[in-house]
Amino acid sequence: TSITSAKILVNGVHLHYQQTGEGSHAVLLLPGMLGSGQTDFGPQLKSMNKQLFTVVAWDPRGYGQSIPPSRDFPPDFFERDAKDAVGLMQALKFKKFSLLGWSDGGITALIAAAKYPALIHKLVVWGANASVTQEDVRIYNGIRDVSKWSEKVKKPLEEMYGHKYFAKTCEAWVDGISRFAENPDGSICQQLLPDIKCPTFIIHGEKDPLVPQAHAEYIHKHIKGSRLLLMPEGKHNLHLRFAEDFNRQVEDFLR
């Protein structure tokens, strides 16, 4: 089946999305920082079961092809993304859907599942965190300067954004997410986790250099009945690096 690309008006912004498959189970893929459906979910859009699932991958406002507006990071940017993500799926006429969120998209998915429980069927998150520690801030500052990134990670983003927007937005993200460290317990959405009632699957790469494993364990502990899978060789992008294994695990959970 082909992958269609389109834009739709949601909360005053034209959001870009890709869609494939004709299954009865709708699934939204939520990308990470600076990410888009195209950069972050190639193997999922290509290989997830098209008979069982209708797969939608979105570009959050200010990312990918959902520009304008330019991306900014007000204190509620994750809530804003959660509202946009749910609004997108409602605009596409999906009554109920599952969320697959990576990294920042995982945080957005946690918030959406907590705040819109009637709409969310199942939840999968990986490389996500519900709080920001001083150690996390140190890690984020380590990626602030995009000129130090590996060519492989940098190239698709530079092609999509141009160097200036890419560099500026990455710096703004580091500042925006680091601000959560000033909250009590560094919370982003810790207080919302007990409100998540849908079946939840947390995946974590034991070699993730960006998100320490304690974050995955915290989320698992505070979402009742959730499942945690640790992938010994997985890094932050385990869904790309181990796409076949990841897709199989996730499809089994979603069935």
Side-chain angles (χ1 to χ4, degrees), residues 119-131:
L119 302 175
I120 311 304
H121 184 41
K122 293 185 177 184
L123 172 65
V124 183
V125 297
W126 65 103
N129 47 301
S131 66

Side-chain angles (χ1 to χ4, degrees), residues 127-179:
N129 47 301
S131 66
V132 175
T133 65
Q134 288 307 320
E135 163 70 357
D136 295 327
V137 173
R138 194 186 60 73
I139 294 170
Y140 302 148
N141 277 304
I143 63 166
R144 176 188 288 274
D145 179 358
V146 298
S147 68
K148 298 191 173 118
W149 288 26
S150 80
E151 205 46 52
K152 191 170 163 243
V153 180
K154 193 165 63 174
K155 194 164 176 260
L157 293 167
E158 281 199 323
E159 281 171 2
M160 177 177 289
Y161 294 117
H163 179 75
K164 195 176 157 204
Y165 187 92
F166 170 43
K168 186 185 80 181
T169 307
C170 181
E171 287 185 13
W173 176 84
V174 171
D175 293 338
I177 196 154
S178 297
R179 244 178 263 125

